Amino acid sequence: MSEKDNIIAIVEDDASQRQQYAEALRNCGYEVVEYADRQTAVTAFEQSLPDLAILDIMLGDDVGAGFELCRYLKEKDSQFPIIFLTSRGNELDKIYGLQLGAWDYQTKPVSLEFLITRIKSLFQIKDSTSTGKHTDNSKHYGDITIDDASMTILWKGSPVNLTPTEFEILRAIINNPEGVSIEDLIRATRQGVVEDNTINTHILHIRKKFKKVDTAFACIKTRYGFGYGWLC
Amino acid sequence: MLSVSKKHRARFSLNLQIIAFSFLFLLALPWLGNRYMDEMKEFLVQGQGDAQLLAAQAIATVLHNRADLFNISNAPSNSLIEQGSLYVYPLDQRIVLDGYGSDWNLLLAQKRSFGPESLIYDRTAGSLSPVTFGLLLGEYNKHLYGLVSVNDSSIVYRHPQYSRLDSSDQVRIELVDKNADIKRYVIITEAAGTASVYEMHEDWARPLTGQPVFKLNAIWRETAQGYDVEFRFPINWLSNDQHLMISVADVSSDTERKIDTVVATLHEDNAGELNKLIIRSPELDRIIKGLGYADSNVCIVDRYRRVRAVLASQEQQDTNTQSQLCTLTDKVAPELVAKALLGESSVARSLLSSGEALVLASHPIYQDGEINGAVLVEKNSANILFKQKASLNKIIIATAIVVLIAIVGLLLFSSLLAYRIRNLQKEVSSAFDLDGRLIANEINSSSKAGDEVGELSRVFSTLLSQLKSYTGFLESVPRTLRHEILNPLNTISMALQKMSADQHFDAVLISSANKASKQLELIVHSLTEAAHIDDSLSQDEKESFDLAELLSEYVSNISLKHKVHIFSYTGQASGITIQGSDLRISQMLDKLKDNAIDFSDTGSEIKFELSRDQQHALISICNEGKLIPDEVLNNLCSGIISHRHAGSGEPHLGIGLYVASRIARYHNGSLNIFNTDSNKGVCVEIELPIQAS
């Protein structure tokens, strides 16, 4: 499936930013549709759904518009890939956004280069899960099974549903048995400017998701003053 | 909770104030009551006086023109005769005929004396001074009693050798009997003791029959001055006119045995006449008794101030004390009697030693326009006083109860008020957290009350909600700022990214522009982090973890990361469990570590220490380098403004310290920053409670 077939919707009220994203994505060969507010976006989505949506949370005076759109899209397609791209960077918003099922949550300012990389990998994940092309690339590290292509994780045989960012963090930790520093994790997840706590928040989410499957899970070890390590 | 600065000020609580004022004002009530009682008493006594005067007038009206009752002859009055009347006192008890006058009691003072002025016979023609004697007459149970006290230096008793009866000292009684005949009796004796009584001839020398008269009893007793004779005879011997004369015949020589002098009860000018007896009129007594002034003493005197009728009040009859009104009339109110006899009615009052007032009213009695006598009505105010005392007691008790109830009521009220004010104070205080930040926008206590406290509460609510909206605005500033700054920053950033891909632009310029935009980003992130730290903390789940393990690992890890500085850790490697979020403690350590690095000299040592006591773990992080001015030490953690110039060239807003102190606070601990004793650097101390094992 070529990139040209993928339609990306950008819902962003700031015209100059929207145009820059659109231009950068179009340069990469994606078809981009732009919406400045929730209503026009919803009207268009009623006609046809794009393949991926980049949402700003605040659209003009509509404070929670991005969240509403996310909920709307998730109702239509629970596997719909959504990237929040917003200036609202506090943790509560982030947690809320991820709870709504967004695949990623990026805070402004964002690196265009990184954004494009993220979008590419998300499409890859989407393709691999939706087309069912399941080449078994899974690797086993003790009790955990990681499939890079489909971004799926199995813990003791049970699937753990991680967002792509969380998946990447976990993979980075597992790939470095000595432990990985916060800085490395930030780089690995291609986060823009991120406080250490963003990573901490992701780790908390990952631990929670594992604990849902296995309450005794304690493999992600905090290396205080450094980062995280995998200890299993 | 906002701590209210407590100056050392004498506490004078609402309750105390109310008690003080209550005592000041309420205690005036009994005093007022007392004043009122006094006025009332005065008024009552006054009223009693008026009532008594009316009573006196009423009695007098009944007695007007009743000369018959006064038993004063209708003939042109002979004042001398009238004055020569002998007054017969009513006796309240039987007189024991023993010659002793003690049972005459108070009447002894009323004894009337006779002497030379009523000398009716003198054999010695003035060469011997005649005897004098005192006389008291009384009536009891239809008998007339008499006490004759004779002053006689030489008593000559009767001698059996002398058959004539006028040969010894003797007391003679002349009276007019029912048949208008004059009877003469003589009392003589041969020795002290029971005396003999004979009815005599006109010449007083021989008895009529020679038989003693037994119905007239007499006792003779010698006294220091002479002798006393007590006698008694039935009062019905007397005619209605009641004429009687007593005379004392003196024999001075027991050899000669001749009567020397005779002193009678009638003035010598009226020789040949008899005294008129004035006995209380039973008729008068009946009349005034019938008038029914049972609660007063009533006394009726005639124009010669002689008491003619007495009515003792029931009270006095009960206590068996014969009214002293009449016996004391002249003493109690001589002026009053005098006034009444001059035709003037009046009221007098005299204070008795018992504190009671004796109220006396007098009114004249007329006989054909002339004053015939006076009515005296006496009443003791004891009754009033008693009533006054009773009401005073009642008032005192009632006042005490009212005062008590009032005080208790006021106390309850003031307690309630104080309670409400305290509640209000508590709620207002707790509307702010320890850092003075608003955490409530409404005051509920007393908010529905219509009084001033309620008003105060509502004003507070209004103030708080205004403050809340203002604080809300301030708190939203970082968020707004973030949104407003990050969007253009994003645009700039993207533009720079595009430009950097284009060879036409100067890479150095773009790089410095990139750096500046990163700095801006950092600032905004820091601000947002600080603004949301409390909200974020409240989302965290607390769990137990080993602080010592965390700290030792932390220090060893950052030693690897930061090669420029030397990090050292002193303290146990494990075994101090605290409750909280390890990531937050780590975040706090990051902030403090960054801070220490920023302000320490390159290559210097940054010391981490962990110590503990029973309840607390103490982390201290010390670095050598720039000191903090004393005046800003205290508010370092509360502001977002740095007071030092960081060496790193990074923007330094002091946000790190703020976030660190919030995290310490979230763990129920405290953060303290100070310059070291040696003044070589700065230490941060964090005290955290250890979880009880």
Side-chain angles (χ1 to χ4, degrees), chain A residues 17 21 87 108 112 193 224, chain B residues 482 487 490 497 521 557:
Chain A
Q17 290 180 63
Y21 299 146
S87 59
K108 295 175 185 175
L112 283 172
V193 176
Y224 300 110
Chain B
R482 183 189 173 105
N487 278 319
N490 195 28
Q497 286 171 43
E521 237 178 277
N557 279 332

Side-chain angles (χ1 to χ4, degrees), chain B residues 529-583:
Chain B
E529 184 188 21
H532 295 291
I533 182 70
D534 287 336
D535 287 343
S536 304
L537 283 171
S538 67
Q539 296 289 318
D540 281 357
E541 283 168 18
K542 284 187 176 180
E543 53 189 11
S544 300
F545 63 94
D546 191 325
L547 181 67
E549 222 172 87
L550 187 155
L551 197 61
S552 59
E553 188 186 331
Y554 181 86
V555 177
S556 73
N557 279 332
I558 58 171
S559 308
L560 298 171
K561 210 191 272 182
H562 302 274
K563 303 288 185 190
V564 182
H565 291 85
I566 303 162
F567 295 92
S568 70
Y569 172 68
T570 317
Q572 56 199 95
S574 64
I576 300 179
T577 308
I578 69 166
Q579 180 83 10
S581 158
D582 55 345
L583 291 178

Side-chain angles (χ1 to χ4, degrees), chain B residues 449-461:
Chain B
D451 59 5
E452 282 83 349
V453 179
E455 194 61 33
L456 192 62
S457 166
R458 288 187 287 278
V459 168
F460 272 131
S461 281

Side-chain angles (χ1 to χ4, degrees), chain A residues 42-88:
Chain A
V42 169
T43 313
F45 293 159
E46 285 294 326
Q47 300 298 317
S48 66
L49 277 183
D51 297 300
L52 186 145
I54 298 173
L55 306 177
D56 190 1
I57 294 176
M58 273 175 82
L59 297 174
D61 294 334
D62 200 348
V63 176
F67 291 142
E68 292 302 315
L69 275 173
C70 176
R71 200 174 288 127
Y72 166 83
L73 287 169
K74 281 288 166 185
E75 268 172 26
K76 294 219 151 202
D77 178 1
S78 63
Q79 293 300 310
F80 193 86
I82 290 167
I83 299 176
F84 276 118
L85 184 55
T86 178
S87 59
R88 277 171 61 152

Side-chain angles (χ1 to χ4, degrees), chain A residues 12-14 16-17 19-21 23-24 56 58 85 87-93 107-113 181-183 192-197 200 204 207-208 211 221-226 228, chain B residues 479 482-484 486-495 497-498 517-518 521-522 525 528-529 532 535-536 539-541 543 545-546 549-551 553-555 557-558 561 582-584 586-587 590 593:
Chain A
E12 160 69 68
D13 58 335
D14 187 300
S16 68
Q17 290 180 63
Q19 281 160 16
Q20 293 205 40
Y21 299 146
E23 192 187 332
D56 190 1
M58 273 175 82
L85 184 55
S87 59
R88 277 171 61 152
N90 75 60
E91 287 167 37
L92 293 181
D93 284 342
T107 47
K108 295 175 185 175
V110 71
S111 147
L112 283 172
E113 183 195 351
S181 72
I182 297 277
E183 290 77 7
V193 176
V194 185
E195 320 94 274
D196 302 353
N197 234 35
N200 291 340
L204 282 177
R207 278 178 177 159
K208 257 185 208 164
K211 278 185 178 171
K221 176 87 173 67
T222 313
R223 294 281 180 80
Y224 300 110
F226 175 69
Y228 293 91
Chain B
R479 187 191 296 257
R482 183 189 173 105
H483 186 251
E484 296 304 324
L486 287 185
N487 278 319
L489 206 59
N490 195 28
T491 315
I492 293 171
S493 164
M494 284 189 290
Q497 286 171 43
K498 277 193 201 160
S517 85
K518 290 274 183 236
E521 237 178 277
L522 263 177
H525 274 298
T528 321
E529 184 188 21
H532 295 291
D535 287 343
S536 304
Q539 296 289 318
D540 281 357
E541 283 168 18
E543 53 189 11
F545 63 94
D546 191 325
E549 222 172 87
L550 187 155
L551 197 61
E553 188 186 331
Y554 181 86
V555 177
N557 279 332
I558 58 171
K561 210 191 272 182
D582 55 345
L583 291 178
R584 291 299 179 185
S586 175
Q587 185 186 3
D590 278 343
K593 177 235 345 172

Side-chain angles (χ1 to χ4, degrees), chain B residues 352-381:
Chain B
L352 299 181
S353 56
S354 58
E356 299 161 1
L358 203 59
V359 182
L360 209 68
S362 68
H363 196 274
I365 302 167
Y366 293 98
Q367 166 75 49
D368 299 330
E370 269 184 59
I371 293 163
N372 212 9
V375 177
L376 298 171
V377 176
E378 179 206 60
K379 197 171 173 184
N380 195 320
S381 70

